[in-house]
Amino acid sequence: MSERTWMQKSGATPGKLALVGCLAVGLVFVLWNQVSDETVDQHNSPQTPPPEQVAPQKQPLVPNSIVTEQPSREWPQMPLESVIKNDPFAKPAWYLATLTDGSQSGDESALLAEQQLEKLRKEQTKIVVISNGERVATIGEESYRVGDIVAGFEITEINMDGVVLTETGP
């Protein structure tokens, strides 16, 4: 029976060992540069006394002469169109297109569209809010914005008179 070598026991290969060696050299180089920069900074500053004479002092993080007001931490304001266009939760157009059933004839789909429109007319638009370019309409219990789909119709405009709907593709 042959004994396994340390390379076989550890799963090391020449490629893995070369990679570990390169990473070790890179780490030593970075550490050496950090230490040498700190040493140069300490030797080049003529105002600092020798280390044995320095007493630890607590200094403020920001000098009193530089204290400024903190910037406002308000939420950024974005136009509604940009928010709607970049909505990560919006369903993609290809998915919305699959929701319509293509097995119906033209007359059946027209009848179904008319029924859906009549249902929406009965629910009526309860509230239309237009503020800072944002337009929101409430139909029944749901709130909608321009671009939303309602019963197979896309909301193309919300104005003070109500909601303008256009029929989506087949």
Side-chain angles (χ1 to χ4, degrees):
M1 225 195 241
S2 66
E3 291 186 28
R4 295 175 56 181
T5 64
W6 68 270
M7 285 181 66
Q8 292 171 337
K9 289 179 185 177
S10 65
T13 63
K16 290 179 185 177
L17 293 174
L19 177 63
V20 169
C22 289
L23 291 174
V25 168
L27 178 64
V28 168
F29 178 73
V30 168
L31 292 175
W32 179 71
N33 279 338
Q34 291 290 331
V35 171
S36 66
D37 288 346
E38 290 175 6
T39 308
V40 169
D41 289 343
Q42 288 178 358
H43 291 300
N44 288 344
S45 61
Q47 301 160 343
T48 56
E52 59 273 354
Q53 295 178 0
V54 175
Q57 297 177 355
K58 291 185 177 180
Q59 295 184 2
L61 295 175
V62 178
N64 292 335
S65 61
I66 302 178
V67 175
T68 59
E69 291 185 29
Q70 293 291 332
S72 175
R73 294 188 152 234
E74 295 179 18
W75 285 95
Q77 299 295 321
M78 295 180 67
L80 182 64
E81 291 77 26
S82 173
V83 172
I84 290 173
K85 186 175 95 177
N86 299 313
D87 183 9
F89 302 109
K91 293 180 177 140
W94 62 264
Y95 175 76
L96 295 174
T98 61
L99 293 179
T100 58
D101 187 11
S103 64
Q104 298 174 345
S105 69
D107 293 336
E108 290 176 354
S109 62
L111 181 62
L112 181 61
E114 187 62 37
Q115 290 172 349
Q116 290 173 340
L117 273 175
E118 189 60 36
K119 181 182 173 188
L120 287 173
R121 283 188 193 113
K122 287 179 184 174
E123 287 183 2
Q124 294 184 349
T125 304
K126 303 285 187 207
I127 301 172
V128 172
V129 178
I130 300 175
S131 173
N132 294 334
E134 294 185 24
R135 296 172 181 265
V136 179
T138 302
I139 301 173
E141 299 293 320
E142 297 289 326
S143 295
Y144 298 98
R145 291 186 164 84
V146 174
D148 288 349
I149 305 293
V150 180
F153 297 93
E154 180 178 1
I155 297 177
T156 55
E157 183 179 349
I158 298 175
N159 54 37
M160 293 308 293
D161 296 330
V163 178
V164 178
L165 301 173
T166 57
E167 192 169 355
T168 56

